[in-house]
Structure formats: C-alpha cells, structure tokens
Amino acid sequence: MTIELERGADQTLLTQMLLQHQVERFYYDEAALLDAHRYDEWITLFTEDTHYFMPLRRTMPRRQLHKEFTQPGEMAFFDDDHLMLSLRVQKLSTGTAWAEDPPSRTRHLVTNVRILSDDGAELVSESHFLLHRTRLRDDLDQWVGRREDTLRRDADGFKIARRHVFLDQTVLHSQNLSNFF
Amino acid sequence: MTSTSPDAPDVLDGLIDLERGEIDRRIFSDEQIFELEMKHIFGRAWLFLCHESQIPKKGDFFEAPMGRDNVLVVRQRDGGIKALLNTCTHRGNAVCRAEEGNVKNFMCTYHGWTFGLDGELVGVPGMSSFYRDELDKAQHPLRQPAQLASYRGFVFATFDPDAPPLEDFLGRTGRLSLDLIAERGDMEVVPGIQKFVLNCNWKFTVDNVFDFYHPQITHMSAIAVGAIPVSTDAIDDGGAKNEEGADLSVPQLPTDAENVVMIAQYGHAISGPSQHAVEKTAGEAYRDVFAWRHTPEAEVAFGPEGNAVGGHPHIFPTSWITVDCQLSLRIPRSPGVTEVWWFSFRDKKAGPAERAAQLARQIHSFGPAGLLEQEDGENWSQSTLQTRGGQARRVPQALKMGLGHGKVRACDGLHIIESPVNEYAQLWTYHAWREWLTGSSWDELRERTTPGDLL
Ligand code: FES
Ligand SMILES: [Fe+2]
C-alpha cells in the first residue's frame, strides 16, 4: 500500500521533472538562437497571436506598488504583435540596422524557471533572466528581470503565445534596446 | 560680437562661427563649458516640467529635472500647481524618492521634517524638547523656482525671477510648437514616461531634431521594412558606398525640396518637412492620422505659416515635439551623459482604435526600443566619444549645408527660411546657445538671438 502510494508520488514527480526539463530545454535552445543571431529561426517560436510586451517600471512607494508597471494600453518599451516582432527581425537582416552592425555580443542566461499553471494546451511559466551585452569596443549593458510566458503546446514542442518582460530597472542604463529578451 | 561677463571667460571665444558654419568641438566635452551651461542656460531658461494631466488630483506629484536640480511638481489643495525643490531644508535629503504618485505631505525620512503640499514646513520632531521651540518653521520651507507657469497645460518653470513671462519666452515659434500637440483635442499624457541614459552630450540630441540629412542613412533599415512611410522613387546617386565599394542606393526622402525652417528668439526653432510633404510621403493610409490638421479650427489656430509646419519643433534648450504627438526631453547629466525622457500624448476623447494605433506608432518609433531611435543613440554617443580626443577635438564641426543661402523672411513675428534640406536650425541653435552662455541680460539675449536677413 505504502509502496503503491510512493510509486504514485514518484510518477507525479517524474512528470513534473520531465515538464520542467522540457521547458528549460526550450528556453536554453531559444537563448542559443538569440546569442547566435539566428533571429529568423527565433521568430518561428512565436504563435501568430503572440503578445511581446515590456512595460515601463516606475519607482513607487510601497503603498502604491500596484501601479509600478504600466499596463497594456499605456506606454511600454515593447508592445508587439507577431507582425511587429517580425518587422524587428526583418530589420536586423537588412544589413543596414546599424545599432546591431557590428552586432552586439549577447549572453542570455535563463534561470529560476517555474511552471505556474498548466491546462494541458497551454502552460504559464515564469523565468528570470540576465542579458549581458557588450558592444563595439567597450560598451557594456546588463538587463535583469522576470519573464512571464504563456507556452502553447504544438506538434514540435512549445510556441510562445505571450511573453511579458518585467525589467528590474526603471531608468534604463543603456542607449537602446536593440536585442530581444 | 563677443561680449563676455566675468562668468563667461575666454573659453567662449571663437566657439561658434556663423559665417563659416563651423563649431568648436570642445563644446561637447569641456567641463567648464558644461558648468556654464548649467548656470546660464539651465539656471535661467524656462524649462518644461510636465503636463497638467499628469497631476490631476490634489496631492498628485511628478518629479522633474531642472538642470541638476530636481523639483516635485505638485497639485495643490486649491487646484493650483507648485514646484518644490526636492531637498530637505534641514540636511538636504530628498523629501520624496518616488518619481510620481500621490501624497498628503512630504515627510523627510532622515529626521522627520514634514512639509505640506505647498512646501511649508509643518512638522518638526522634537520641536520643544530638542529645539526649545526656537526654530522658526516659516524660515525653512521647501524652496521653489522663481516662476512657474503653464501654457495650454504644459508646465514650465525658471529659476530666474527676471525671466520674461513664459509666453514671451516661447514666442510665436515656441507656442506654435506646443500648439501642435494642444490643438489636437483634449490632451493628456499616456501613463508611463520612457527614461533612458545615453553616453552622449545633450547638444547632439538637439542637433539631430532638425537633421533631415540623416534619416536616409541612419534609418535605412527602418525605411527598408516600411517602418517609416517613404515613397522611394528617387534614389540618390550622390555617393554612399558600402564596405565593398558598391553603391548604396540611398532613398531620397521627398522632404528634400519641401522644408520649413523657422528660427526664433532665445534659440527656439522648427525645421523639418512641411505638412504637405509629410502627408504626401505617408500616403493614403495615414489620412486619418492627419485629419485633425485640416479642421477649420486648426487651420485658423495655426495660420497660413503654421499650417505649413509638418514637424520637428524644438523649444530651447531641450524639448522636442514630434509629429506623432510626443515630447522628448533631453536632460544633461554631465558633458558625456544625457538622460532622455519621452512624454506621449493622446486625446482623451479618441476612440479605442484610434488610441491603440497612435500608441503603437509612439512605442515603435522612438524610445530605446523604437525602430528609429535605436540607431540615433549610437550616432550621438559615438560622436561624443570620437570628438573628445586631443586631436579630434580640433577638427571643426561642419555645418555648411545651404550656408549663405538662407534668406530669412520676417513674417507676422516669425522668421522663416524656405530651403531644401539644410543645417540652418542647428547652426541657429548653436549660435543662440553661445549667446546664452555669455550671461548677458534678457534684453541683450533677445536682441542677439533675433534672426538677421541671411544665414
Ligand atoms: S534632512 Fe530632512 S529632516 Fe533632517
Ligand atoms: Fe533619427
């Protein structure tokens, strides 16, 4: 009886571990595409109805912290549908997108991956990131933050049906955001 | 030509040469010049702080820069607006560390001095026990700029009690610039101000406002993917070649022939494609976007000269108004560091679809992730970096486009130059900048920044 129960628990744990592994693997592969400048492949990871959103963060007192991030419909750094995201990718491949030519050297570090919910068709996951960028001779930028994704299952694995990127900075200490998060 | 006050030493001599269209590059890196800018420009000019719609309710505040000072723009109990220097009169601590919000008062978290919305010192811990009731609270309010005023909802302040009234400072050109937002309807700021820091001298960001020579190259990729509507039938054979030596087909913007330049007192200017050129370039898809320009009210408000203006006004020293209803503020932090803020406006009465479309254009053009400004920032920071070398600093900065052909037409209080793409407004801004730095009186400054007949 006890053994049966434990085996059941193991089974659940194994399923969870497998999913955790699949999601992490997905993120590592995605990061590898970005760091290798393979944007044309990267864009295929998004669903047609995706929403790639990076709100502004504001320095607010604790009692008004609920107003810290702007909402969709307000100002944002990124507020892209699939068409807009594709435009950004196309822009990079024109050969005249000077902000990325010479290209940035980026390292996308993804960690603290947590699956928050899963209804079978879609799952919501949270991940933390450190995007480390060097540019030209000695430009150095770092962005740290949290992503909240909706990943939709499809035949090949996952597609990103929503990505909301919450930066830890308020005033950005970088002269552009010409990279993806 | 060169008149100097004791505060404006020889460092200003020969910096700006209007006849040759040359500028001394030291102005982009010299610490002493930066100090003079802080004193004579940012210590005296009317500076944009925020829009009234950002602080609608009593106790609402927004922190805004005035040079190196920071002020809290606060909606008062009686509905008025005050700006309070964000420094406690006890030991200097910030009395507020949030960038915007709503409060009943400002309590300093160092020792607890508490200030009312009007800046009066209303509470001092230990008043009787430590201060023996001998502290005169009336002597220690939060300090305020010398003058504060609004023009059609845009709040400005100056530290100079002798500065002319805001409307006079703005003049016809400055007011017209703000009207290009205010005339659109019942305007409010979209929540969220984009703020980012660039490694550049602030004057490069201003120079760029009027620069219609750069989009064709700088924004080539954005043009290629259709992010800037451009009818690229005309291709320039003039000379850009890629690294392999092949001709780079440069799309000649139709704005080439149709530019409106207005140069004005105190260094304000407008320079960019005419409204006609903007609309012609944008095409049918943008008809609704510009419909507001063709209402009888707007046409009357702008007058014949104002109707011709398509965009790119700059209110000296650091406020740029865009075609798509945004105001960009450039805040000098040091000779090599500038913080850029973007205020985006919308009509409170606009429908959801119109709002969404406008917001999308605003987000996707400017700011650090904007399809346009991504590339601009790098130009400014590389220009700053590469002009500060011991030798590079001695290469004169060239502003010669159209030089000597800028016939100034004085008309109805405006000074207008009709010309293809040119560098008149930049040159004018540098000239005015130089005159500000001499520390001359307001009358002298006005006189010396009144355009002549030719540029
Ligand atoms: S510094 Fe503000 S109370 Fe002392
Ligand atoms: Fe530009």
Side-chain angles (χ1 to χ4, degrees):
Chain A
M1 205 54 174
T2 330
I3 293 166
E4 286 298 296
L5 259 184
E6 272 176 10
R7 196 167 282 158
D10 284 352
Q11 207 52 52
T12 313
L13 188 59
L14 278 174
T15 312
Q16 284 174 350
M17 284 172 70
L18 183 62
L19 182 61
Q20 177 81 17
H21 174 76
Q22 286 168 333
V23 171
E24 286 181 2
R25 185 62 196 266
F26 176 77
Y27 284 140
Y28 298 158
D29 289 344
E30 185 203 356
L33 289 178
L34 285 173
D35 292 338
H37 309 298
R38 287 160 63 182
Y39 307 109
D40 291 337
E41 291 164 73
W42 176 74
I43 190 74
T44 66
L45 301 179
F46 289 83
T47 65
E48 287 298 319
D49 60 346
T50 199
H51 184 212
Y52 187 93
F53 182 66
M54 183 194 281
L56 306 189
R57 189 172 201 149
R58 293 166 288 198
T59 304
M60 288 288 193
R62 202 172 280 274
R63 71 191 163 81
Q64 283 164 17
L65 217 50
H66 57 284
K67 294 192 191 149
E68 188 181 25
F69 287 104
T70 54
Q71 303 297 315
E74 302 180 337
M75 199 24 76
F77 287 125
F78 290 87
D79 189 354
D80 295 4
D81 56 13
H82 193 274
L83 178 69
M84 187 61 209
L85 206 54
S86 312
L87 268 189
R88 292 186 190 273
V89 167
Q90 274 175 44
K91 180 172 176 276
L92 289 174
S93 59
T94 55
T96 56
W98 315 121
E100 283 298 318
D101 195 357
S104 300
R105 278 89 45 175
T106 62
R107 201 60 57 203
H108 285 76
L109 306 178
V110 183
T111 174
N112 297 46
V113 176
R114 296 196 306 145
I115 293 145
L116 303 181
S117 68
D118 184 0
D119 70 4
E122 290 184 346
L123 61 87
V124 175
S125 78
E126 179 191 79
S127 55
H128 296 178
F129 63 86
L130 166 60
L131 173 48
H132 185 273
R133 169 173 92 167
T134 67
R135 231 180 109 44
L136 305 178
R137 199 163 53 84
D138 57 4
D139 282 10
L140 172 65
D141 293 302
Q142 282 195 139
W143 298 274
V144 175
R146 185 175 75 83
R147 301 187 305 195
E148 203 178 289
D149 289 351
T150 299
L151 301 181
R152 192 175 296 159
R153 287 187 171 84
D154 81 343
D156 320 325
F158 299 116
K159 288 244 185 317
I160 304 164
R162 182 184 63 126
R163 169 162 293 170
H164 288 197
V165 183
F166 302 93
L167 283 185
D168 285 351
Q169 301 172 3
T170 54
V171 176
L172 284 192
H173 279 265
S174 52
Q175 66 185 359
N176 62 33
L177 292 171
S178 57
N179 303 99
F180 297 109
F181 292 82
Chain B
M1 184 83 184
T2 52
S3 147
T4 50
S5 78
D7 286 326
D10 318 336
V11 71
L12 298 181
D13 286 348
L15 288 184
I16 310 296
D17 191 328
L18 271 187
E19 280 74 40
R20 295 159 69 95
E22 289 182 357
I23 306 247
D24 191 318
R25 289 181 169 180
R26 279 179 303 146
I27 72 171
F28 301 114
S29 52
D30 188 279
E31 296 276 350
Q32 199 184 352
I33 290 175
F34 185 80
E35 290 302 320
L36 291 174
E37 288 173 338
M38 285 297 119
K39 177 169 180 170
H40 294 302
I41 298 176
F42 295 89
R44 295 186 73 196
W46 282 96
L47 301 168
F48 173 73
L49 304 182
C50 69
H51 189 258
E52 288 185 22
S53 65
Q54 292 176 266
I55 46 169
K57 298 189 297 292
K58 73 169 190 255
D60 283 352
F61 70 88
F62 178 78
E63 192 185 35
M66 289 183 72
R68 274 182 293 217
D69 291 296
N70 295 302
V71 296
L72 300 159
V73 196
V74 189
R75 181 67 71 173
Q76 301 295 298
R77 289 180 200 288
D78 65 2
I81 292 172
K82 278 189 163 64
L84 310 171
L85 224 52
N86 191 3
T87 179
C88 181
T89 45
H90 180 226
R91 285 286 202 284
N93 187 25
V95 296
C96 175
R97 288 166 297 164
E99 56 193 289
E100 53 183 270
N102 181 279
V103 291
K104 294 216 160 47
N105 52 48
F106 297 101
M107 197 273 287
C108 176
T109 53
Y110 203 166
H111 313 90
W113 282 24
T114 301
F115 302 87
L117 295 180
D118 57 0
E120 289 303 319
L121 178 57
V122 293
V124 176
M127 186 60 161
S128 55
S129 47
F130 304 153
Y131 280 104
R132 301 153 205 249
D133 282 321
E134 283 169 2
L135 182 76
D136 181 2
K137 287 197 297 218
Q139 297 300 311
H140 303 280
L142 295 179
R143 298 302 195 262
Q144 296 178 31
Q147 303 184 60
L148 180 136
S150 284
Y151 174 74
R152 303 193 72 177
F154 297 87
V155 184
F156 287 73
T158 168
F159 287 121
D160 188 350
D162 298 326
L166 174 62
E167 296 211 4
D168 295 353
F169 170 81
L170 293 170
R172 284 281 317 275
T173 308
R175 295 198 300 272
L176 172 62
S177 304
L178 295 171
D179 291 345
L180 284 168
I181 292 178
E183 272 303 315
R184 295 181 191 222
D186 188 3
M187 304 311 288
E188 66 177 356
V189 169
V190 181
I193 310 298
Q194 291 184 327
K195 301 179 179 178
F196 62 111
V197 177
L198 296 152
N199 290 320
C200 73
N201 182 275
W202 66 277
K203 292 186 289 301
F204 279 114
T205 68
V206 175
D207 184 317
N208 189 78
V209 167
F210 310 119
D211 188 321
F212 279 81
Y213 191 32
H214 85 283
Q216 51 193 5
I217 296 291
T218 299
H219 304 305
M220 210 168 210
S221 59
I223 293 171
V225 300
I228 311 181
V230 165
S231 43
T232 52
D233 358 316
I235 297 292
D236 181 36
D237 50 358
K241 304 212 185 331
N242 69 13
E243 286 164 2
E244 279 89 39
D247 281 338
L248 205 55
S249 330
V250 179
Q252 278 295 77
L253 306 185
T255 56
D256 184 44
E258 275 191 79
N259 263 261
V260 177
V261 184
M262 290 179 181
I263 52 177
Q265 282 90 359
Y266 306 124
H268 312 308
I270 299 178
S271 181
S274 70
Q275 181 61 18
H276 177 253
V278 169
E279 292 187 24
K280 198 171 71 185
T281 312
E284 270 304 293
Y286 280 71
R287 230 199 5 199
D288 292 348
V289 172
F290 297 115
W292 72 277
R293 287 295 299 257
H294 304 293
T295 59
E297 300 79 36
E299 290 190 349
V300 169
F302 292 133
E305 308 294 348
N307 278 320
V309 169
H312 290 241
H314 189 258
I315 295 169
F316 193 90
T318 44
S319 303
W320 167 33
I321 285 102
T322 73
V323 180
D324 236 325
C325 216
Q326 293 182 281
L327 187 152
S328 177
L329 187 63
R330 289 80 185 283
I331 306 151
R333 297 298 188 203
S334 74
V337 178
T338 301
E339 192 167 319
V340 172
W341 287 15
W342 280 98
F343 296 77
S344 308
F345 292 80
R346 66 183 174 202
D347 183 353
K348 282 182 204 164
K349 299 199 177 75
E354 194 185 326
R355 267 185 184 213
Q358 184 179 42
L359 182 65
R361 291 195 305 273
Q362 291 169 331
I363 290 176
H364 296 145
S365 301
F366 297 110
L371 293 190
L372 300 185
E373 206 162 54
Q374 285 179 38
E375 270 76 27
D376 288 319
E378 191 146 296
N379 291 336
W380 307 332
S381 65
Q382 290 295 309
S383 297
T384 301
L385 179 72
Q386 301 295 6
T387 52
R388 74 178 175 210
Q391 302 303 313
R393 200 185 322 190
R394 295 189 199 149
V395 179
Q397 195 81 336
L399 290 112
K400 293 170 185 278
M401 192 181 289
L403 195 65
H405 298 283
K407 273 194 74 173
V408 180
R409 177 166 63 87
C411 171
D412 194 17
L414 297 165
H415 295 89
I416 299 167
I417 302 174
E418 268 122 21
S419 164
V421 171
N422 59 77
E423 288 169 344
Y424 300 128
Q426 287 100 319
L427 201 51
W428 185 252
T429 307
Y430 288 118
H431 161 72
W433 169 88
R434 159 76 177 64
E435 295 308 323
W436 276 85
L437 290 201
T438 61
S440 49
S441 73
W442 281 96
D443 284 343
E444 286 171 314
L445 181 60
R446 186 181 169 82
E447 194 187 306
R448 291 197 208 130
T449 56
T450 298
D453 302 330
L454 195 71
L455 199 61

